[in-house]
Amino acid sequence: MQYRELPEFPADFFWGGSTSAYQVEGAIDEDGKGPSVIDANNVGRADRTAYAVASDHYHRYAEDIALMAEIGFRAYRFSIAWTRIIPDGDGEINPLGVAHYHAVIDELLARGIEPIVTMYHFDLPQALAEKGGWSNRATADAFVRYAEVLYREYGDKVRWWLTINEQNMMILHGTALGVSTGDAADAKRDLYQQNHHMFLAQSRAMALCHRMLPEAKIGPAPNIAYVYPASSKPDDVVAADDWNAVRNWLYTDLAVHGRYNSLAWAYLVERGWEPTIEPGDLEDLASARPDFVAFNYYATQTVAASTGTSADLAARPGDQQMVRGEVGLYRATQNPNLPTNAFGWEIDPVGFRTTFRALWDRYRLPLLVTENGLGAFDTPEEDGSIQDDYRIDYLQRHLEQMRLAIADGVEVLGYCPWSAIDLVSTHQGAAKRYGFIYVDRGDDDLRTLARTRKKSSYWYADVIATRGRALEPATTAEA
C-alpha cells in the first residue's frame, strides 16, 4: 500500500540504542563478579582482552550515558550481568554488583533516558553451566530467583523489562554464539529440553513481574527473520511456513499465548526431539501474559523446499544471521533481490516492514525494536572523524520502512538499534563496529579507549529531534 502522507513518530517513542553486558562492560573479574559461560569460553584465547575489557563501559558508563543524552536518546536497552548480581547464579547476592547497576540506572534517569533492562543476554553463570546449565530444571528456578532480586532492587526505577535475549538463536545457533555444545543428532533432544526450561523460566519471570511490579511492562526479545519462499512453487511456500514456525513462531507463540506452535511441535515429534513436560508446566507457560513483544531484526531469510539430501545445507559458517538449511525441512537459498554486506548478511529494509506486520497481525501487542544495525570496519579520517555514511543509509532505509509499518496500523513503542556504542562483536571482535559512538581500541590493542561520536550519531540526533521528519521525503512502498 502507498500513502500520500505518513504519520509522525509518537511523541513518547523510545528512540535509543542497545548493548549487552558481556560485549560492552569489561571488568570481567572485578567487584565480585563471577565467571559466565562467555568468560569461560574465552579463557586462554589470545584475544581474551576483547571481552575482559570490551569497551570499558563498566568504568566509563557515566561518560557514555552523557554522550547518549547528547545524541538525544530517550531509552537505553542494556543487559544486567547475572554473575555481577549472583556470582555463582544461585547463591549469595553481590552488593557491589547490585550497587553498580543502581548507579547506571540513576545516571540514565538523571539524563532523562528510560532504562530498558534485559535480564539475560547469552551470559549464563559458569557455575550453573557446570551443574548442567539449561538442561537442569534447577536453572529455571535460579533464573526466577535472579529476576526476583532484580525486581526488588530496581523495580521502583525500571518500568521496562526484557526476559531472555534471542532464545531462538541460542537453540538454533548455540555453537556459533559460543553458548551451547555440539549439534550432534543425539544432543538435539537435550537442546529442546533446554529450550523448554528457558520457556518456563521466562514465563514464570513474567508472571512474577506482574505480581511484584504491577505498573511495569515486560516482554520477550527473540531474533525474528521473516522467511520468504524462494519461488511461488507450493512446496517452497510450505518450506517457508515450516521454517517460520521453527525459527520464529515457536518462540513468540510460546511467549505470548503460552503454548507450543503446533507446526513446530509436529517438527519436534517427527524428529524425536520433543521435550518432557512435567505436571504444572503448561499452567506456568500460560501464566506469562507479556505486555509487548521486543524483537531483534537484521534481515529476512529465503528458503526452498528440501531435497532430502545434503544439498539442503549451505556451505558457509554458522553465523546466526545466515540461512544454513536442514535436511527434510528446508533448503538454504540466497535472495537474488537483496544486496549483502561485507559479512554476507542480506539487507532487506522492506522485510522490516513485513516483519512488523506479521508480528502485529499475529499478536496485536505493541512492538519494540531492540536490535537492528550495520556492522562495519569503521576507520577514522585524518581529522579523527568517522564518516559512516553507509550506516546512515542502512538505518534510514529501515526507519522509513518502520514509519510505513506505523502507517499500516502497527503499534511501535520504540527503536533501539545495535548498538549505542562500539562493542565486541560475537563473531568479528572489536574490529567489527556497530555503534553511534566510536571506541578507540583494536582486537589486541586497547589503545586509548577514547570515545568519538560518529557522523551517524549527528544524523540520528536530528531524526530524534524532529520526530522522524528528518527522514523525509519518506519512500512509499507497494504492499
Side-chain angles (χ1 to χ4, degrees), residues 353-382:
R353 181 188 184 187
T354 300
T355 302
F356 273 114
R357 289 160 64 154
L359 287 167
W360 176 252
D361 287 346
R362 197 171 184 91
Y363 304 115
R364 282 296 195 271
L365 284 175
L367 303 176
L368 174 64
V369 179
T370 41
E371 289 186 29
N372 172 238
L374 179 69
F377 296 125
D378 299 336
T379 304
E381 302 292 323
E382 288 186 7

Side-chain angles (χ1 to χ4, degrees), residues 263-432:
L263 185 53
W265 185 260
Y267 160 81
L268 294 176
V269 171
E270 169 64 21
R271 282 160 170 70
W273 300 339
E274 71 275 21
T276 299
I277 298 177
E278 300 288 351
D281 286 0
L282 297 180
E283 291 78 7
D284 281 349
L285 295 176
S287 71
R289 308 293 183 196
D291 302 291
F292 63 94
V293 174
F295 71 102
N296 302 343
Y297 173 88
Y298 290 94
T300 51
Q301 296 188 355
T302 303
V303 307
S306 170
T307 65
T309 71
S310 60
D312 293 344
L313 307 177
R316 58 175 66 133
D319 189 303
Q320 73 267 28
Q321 306 302 336
M322 310 285 269
V323 183
R324 65 180 186 180
E326 182 175 334
V327 176
L329 185 67
Y330 71 97
R331 178 164 53 88
T333 64
Q334 286 190 298
N335 190 327
N337 302 298
L338 299 177
T340 58
N341 67 14
F343 306 97
W345 296 13
E346 293 177 337
I347 299 174
D348 185 8
V350 176
F352 196 27
R353 181 188 184 187
T354 300
T355 302
F356 273 114
R357 289 160 64 154
L359 287 167
W360 176 252
D361 287 346
R362 197 171 184 91
Y363 304 115
R364 282 296 195 271
L365 284 175
L367 303 176
L368 174 64
V369 179
T370 41
E371 289 186 29
N372 172 238
L374 179 69
F377 296 125
D378 299 336
T379 304
E381 302 292 323
E382 288 186 7
D383 63 1
S385 66
I386 297 91
Q387 303 295 318
D388 58 339
D389 295 271
Y390 39 84
R391 182 167 292 109
I392 294 171
D393 179 70
Y394 178 97
L395 295 173
Q396 169 139 350
R397 290 175 183 273
H398 284 79
L399 283 171
E400 288 171 349
Q401 292 298 322
M402 183 167 67
R403 195 175 182 189
L404 285 163
I406 293 171
D408 293 333
V410 179
E411 183 179 352
V412 184
L413 294 170
Y415 181 69
C416 295
W418 193 259
S419 55
I421 70 174
D422 283 348
L423 38 66
V424 179
S425 165
T426 305
H427 302 291
Q428 283 85 18
K432 184 182 183 183

Side-chain angles (χ1 to χ4, degrees), residues 14 25 64 94 107 214 235 321 360 376 431 447:
F14 284 147
E25 285 183 350
D64 294 337
N94 175 27
E107 187 71 23
D235 286 347
Q321 306 302 336
W360 176 252
R447 301 204 289 263

Side-chain angles (χ1 to χ4, degrees), residues 191-268:
L191 195 62
Y192 279 98
Q193 191 67 53
Q194 293 182 44
N195 200 33
H196 181 70
H197 293 158
M198 277 192 265
F199 284 138
L200 288 173
Q202 172 173 263
S203 298
R204 291 166 57 194
M206 286 184 185
L208 180 64
C209 181
H210 290 138
R211 291 196 300 272
M212 291 182 65
L213 307 173
E215 301 302 314
K217 306 292 184 184
I218 189 166
N223 177 302
I224 302 298
Y226 190 80
V227 182
Y228 300 142
S231 76
S232 57
K233 294 177 181 177
D235 286 347
D236 287 350
V237 174
V238 169
D241 281 350
D242 289 346
W243 186 226
N244 261 318
V246 172
R247 189 200 188 282
N248 297 319
W249 310 144
L250 167 59
Y251 300 88
T252 48
D253 281 5
L254 207 306
V256 176
H257 297 314
R259 60 178 182 266
Y260 276 86
N261 175 280
S262 58
L263 185 53
W265 185 260
Y267 160 81
L268 294 176

Side-chain angles (χ1 to χ4, degrees), residues 424-446:
V424 179
S425 165
T426 305
H427 302 291
Q428 283 85 18
K432 184 182 183 183
R433 301 173 182 274
Y434 284 88
F436 291 113
I437 299 164
Y438 183 87
V439 176
D440 181 32
R441 66 154 296 170
D443 281 324
D444 304 313
D445 179 6
L446 294 177

